[in-house]
Amino acid sequence: MAAFKRPGELSASAFGLSFADRDAGSAAPPPIYNKNERLALTEQLLYLVEAHATTVVVGETGSGKTTQLPQYLHEAGWTGGGRMVACTQPRRVAAMTVAARVAEEMGCRLGQEVGYAIRFEDVSTPGVTRLRFCTDGVLLREMMDDPLLQKYSVVMVDEAHERSLATDVLLGLLKKVQRRRPDLRVIISSATIEAEAIARFFDTSNVRRPVGHVEALPAEGQPPSRSPALMSLEGRMHSVQVHYLETSTSNYLQSAVEAAIAIHKDDQPGDILIFLTGQDECEAAVKLLDEEGRRLQRSRLKWRLQPVALYAGLPATHQLAVFEPAPRGVRKVIAATNIAETSVIAATNIAETSVTLEGIVYVIDSCFAKQRCYNPLTGLESLLIAPISKASAQQRAGRAGRVRPGHCFRLCTEDDYESKLPASTVPEMQRSDLASTVLQLKSLGIDNIMSFEWLAPPPAETMVRALETLHALGALDGDARLARPYGTQMAELPLDPPLARMLLASGQMGCTAEVLTVVAMLRFAVAEGDLISYLNVWKAWEESGRSKKWAIANYVMHRSLLRAADIRNQARLWPRVCAAAWLQAHLRRLGIKPSSALDGASAFDQEALATVRKALAAGLFINAAKLTDELQVKLSDQEDSGASVYRLVRSAGGEAAAAKLRIHHSSVLFRCRPQWVCFYAAEQNDTGWYEMRDILAIESGWLTELAPHMYRLAPVNTQMRR
DNA sequence: GAGCACTGC
């Protein structure tokens, strides 16, 4: 393969690497769709928004689209007449930080003309706020009260190319809303790769026009064109030279470490970012680099190597440390998971600001990532290491070009890159459990789920499974319509349907306090330790005069509050406490009174405990499993043997029955081997076993009692079947 | 003995 070099740029061999060089494919400029070249960019955008119901904006990193576009719209009068401009983000921190920056640029106080809304928090003032930044999930929730989004004149969906579940649902709904509200303008910002597909999706004009066609302005009082406009904004990115392996590697971790060392030896300053798939790999890479670095130092290399790991599970303080610039004479090597792929990395646990990785000049890409897969036949999820998409690889490469021209080393051959990596990542919509999404759509009055227009239709099996799950939980009736009261109540609760169902059951069984705690633990235990949420609880407690009564009523531990008064860095312990108080408010709104089964009872009161367990089982009965006589066969010396085998109860045959389940090692029930269990989550690991997590031991009779529509006693033996 | 790509309401 011919090496291609630009003057002044180094080839891979300059780093002592046997990589094939190739000119920066990732830095190739996107196609320009702007037609009216005589108009300034601002005017051009405003023209398109005026003339088209939908405008797709291809904005490169650094184009300022997120912060600038809403301000242009504000200045142009789109926030007049009491209406607002919404700008949605896939992540909470992004919504907060972008709002803060725009408020600063506009010289107003956050929460006044410019505000934001995320879970737990609404920093906006009705009647005053004109630009509202929020997560796409928040806007979806808002649609339950305001299905046509009457409060907004424009909705801008940012980072649509990430194709998160919430973004895809929102785009489908926005298309629907546009039919009823021709005046609504939708702006979608996306990377090049997804832009045309999104534009085609929103095209409801019956005339086939080339993508990017520019319409004339509508006459006064007339609706805009229904064929979308497409426009690109150029960013400030440096070129990135891409290198491929000449022969493929069987150990990308080792290859990554070798590549990093080779770059380091070359002595060109600039930090290195390595993309790996998980925590283990990141830690292993750091260890190897550390050893290698010490060896190099002994050989008197003047640059010191400073390897650090970066993944979401890392304590907040460690995460923040990664962002500190390396001292002079030190080269940082960051071994990171996918967390480093998105443009902005958040350190929410510490501060409400986002941080970007600065100083990266070299990217080493394993070209793999862990991907969630959902199997609708078993209803179980698995996490598999899979090759990333080309779109994803380009995004990763782009991280090398922020400060100056950079290099990206892909740990695969160019042939493999071209032939084995898919063009784009399968949208989350097509590899997730959709029970929650279907419930949300049903509560928005979309009864015919199967004919909903999706940007990427999910597998039919997944839809059927979602309907079955919701029916089993009592959220849908026999005609798949929202059932009262469970369906409407479950839709109100911002939780997975099984968790919502157990909360509702706890109201009837008199143990909301205990179930609230369990749900908060399951859902928020490892979630972000958001300082602001913490402050909300703190403020409410202060306002109550630091009342112990308030703390008890809100399921906040009074002693923790007192301790927190002294110890600020305990904030990480807070989310679950916060979540319980927040869920309690939701229950109150549904008219469910607080109750407790264990209050006053001894901690070992079996009867009281059984009440709580039954309430939990009311949400989990779909995932019931029975102990079998089999013991896991010892397949190899390394493999753990002797683990008990469980089978799903819900299906007598087929794939679900074939699923081999075992209790996860971490479970306290691992050695107990209860006959009957329910579980909240099971994940397939690389040995093919599904490991049950968050397990509850149940009595067999509970299944027929709680879910007679799903389980009945088999006449011959005790085996349950649907 | 031992675990979790990344988000979100």
Side-chain angles (χ1 to χ4, degrees), chain A residues 119-120 494-503 513-528 575-580 582-583 612-613 615-621 623 666-667 678-683 692-696:
Chain A
R119 183 182 63 200
F120 296 139
L495 289 170
D496 277 354
L499 299 183
R501 186 63 185 83
M502 63 172 83
L503 263 185
E514 292 79 14
V515 176
L516 271 169
T517 306
V518 172
V519 170
M521 295 288 278
L522 279 177
R523 206 70 194 89
F524 303 97
V526 279
E528 71 290 332
R576 62 187 78 164
V577 172
C578 231
W582 177 71
L583 288 172
V612 178
R613 284 167 59 204
L616 297 174
L620 299 180
F621 63 82
N623 285 338
S666 65
S667 173
C678 282
F679 57 92
Y680 177 55
E683 249 168 31
M692 300 182 279
R693 285 166 204 264
D694 309 316
I695 302 161
L696 172 78

Side-chain angles (χ1 to χ4, degrees), chain A residues 77-85 125-131 149-153:
Chain A
W78 285 97
T79 53
R83 280 189 166 163
M84 293 189 281
V85 167
T125 316
V128 177
T129 300
R130 308 268 62 106
L131 300 181
L149 294 165
Q150 300 283 5
K151 285 189 279 188
Y152 303 100
S153 58

Side-chain angles (χ1 to χ4, degrees), chain A residues 605-639:
Chain A
D605 184 331
Q606 290 304 317
E607 207 179 318
L609 214 53
T611 307
V612 178
R613 284 167 59 204
K614 225 183 233 186
L616 297 174
L620 299 180
F621 63 82
I622 294 171
N623 285 338
K626 188 185 184 303
L627 184 69
T628 66
D629 302 332
E630 307 161 50
L631 277 185
Q632 185 188 332
V633 188
K634 191 170 179 174
L635 294 173
S636 70
D637 285 342
Q638 280 85 31
E639 205 180 349

Side-chain angles (χ1 to χ4, degrees), chain A residues 162-202:
Chain A
E162 286 188 23
R163 303 296 302 274
S164 74
L165 196 53
T167 302
D168 268 25
V169 175
L170 185 60
L171 292 179
L173 287 169
L174 283 172
K175 183 176 178 181
K176 230 174 147 63
V177 171
Q178 279 182 324
R179 292 218 183 88
R180 303 270 302 275
R181 271 196 61 193
D183 62 306
L184 179 75
R185 300 301 199 276
V186 175
I187 301 175
I188 297 149
S189 111
S190 162
T192 322
I193 183 125
E194 302 282 350
E196 292 196 15
I198 294 173
R200 272 197 301 277
F201 176 72
F202 275 93

Side-chain angles (χ1 to χ4, degrees), chain A residues 276-279 281 338 368-372 383-386:
Chain A
L276 297 167
T277 69
Q279 175 175 343
E281 284 178 11
N338 240 357
F368 282 96
K370 282 193 185 169
Q371 273 217 319
R372 183 175 58 201
L383 211 50
L384 300 173
I385 294 178

Side-chain angles (χ1 to χ4, degrees), chain A residues 529-582:
Chain A
D530 196 276
L531 193 70
I532 301 298
S533 329
Y534 155 72
L535 283 176
N536 285 342
V537 174
W538 177 264
K539 221 173 79 194
W541 182 57
E542 288 273 290
E543 278 164 10
S544 75
R546 297 198 173 192
S547 136
K548 191 173 178 178
K549 240 187 193 159
W550 182 92
I552 293 164
N554 287 283
Y555 304 102
V556 176
M557 285 205 288
H558 190 244
R559 247 179 54 203
S560 310
L561 278 167
L562 288 173
R563 225 176 91 210
D566 302 319
I567 313 164
R568 287 278 168 150
N569 57 9
Q570 293 291 316
R572 260 184 83 76
L573 302 173
W574 279 79
R576 62 187 78 164
V577 172
C578 231
W582 177 71

Side-chain angles (χ1 to χ4, degrees), chain A residues 29-69:
Chain A
I32 307 288
Y33 301 104
N34 311 346
K35 295 288 162 68
N36 293 334
E37 277 164 31
R38 21 188 196 95
L39 292 178
L41 221 55
T42 318
E43 290 168 333
Q44 202 166 303
L45 177 94
L46 291 172
Y47 178 93
L48 292 178
V49 173
E50 185 86 41
H52 299 259
T54 310
T55 304
V56 179
V57 177
V58 178
E60 285 178 79
T61 315
S63 65
K65 57 187 160 54
T66 314
T67 51
Q68 298 307 307
L69 294 197

Side-chain angles (χ1 to χ4, degrees), chain A residues 375 377-382 620-633 639-640 642-651 654-665 667 669-670 673-685 687-695 711:
Chain A
N375 182 344
L377 298 174
T378 58
L380 302 175
E381 289 183 333
S382 45
L620 299 180
F621 63 82
I622 294 171
N623 285 338
K626 188 185 184 303
L627 184 69
T628 66
D629 302 332
E630 307 161 50
L631 277 185
Q632 185 188 332
V633 188
E639 205 180 349
D640 194 6
S644 306
V645 179
Y646 283 77
R647 296 275 183 209
L648 276 180
V649 182
R650 85 170 103 91
S651 179
E655 195 156 340
K660 296 184 294 183
L661 296 158
R662 62 183 189 194
I663 297 183
H664 194 273
H665 272 118
S667 173
L669 295 174
F670 182 60
R673 299 179 186 182
Q675 280 288 314
W676 299 88
V677 295
C678 282
F679 57 92
Y680 177 55
E683 249 168 31
Q684 193 174 29
N685 64 16
T687 61
W689 282 84
Y690 282 100
E691 310 250 18
M692 300 182 279
R693 285 166 204 264
D694 309 316
I695 302 161
Y711 300 105

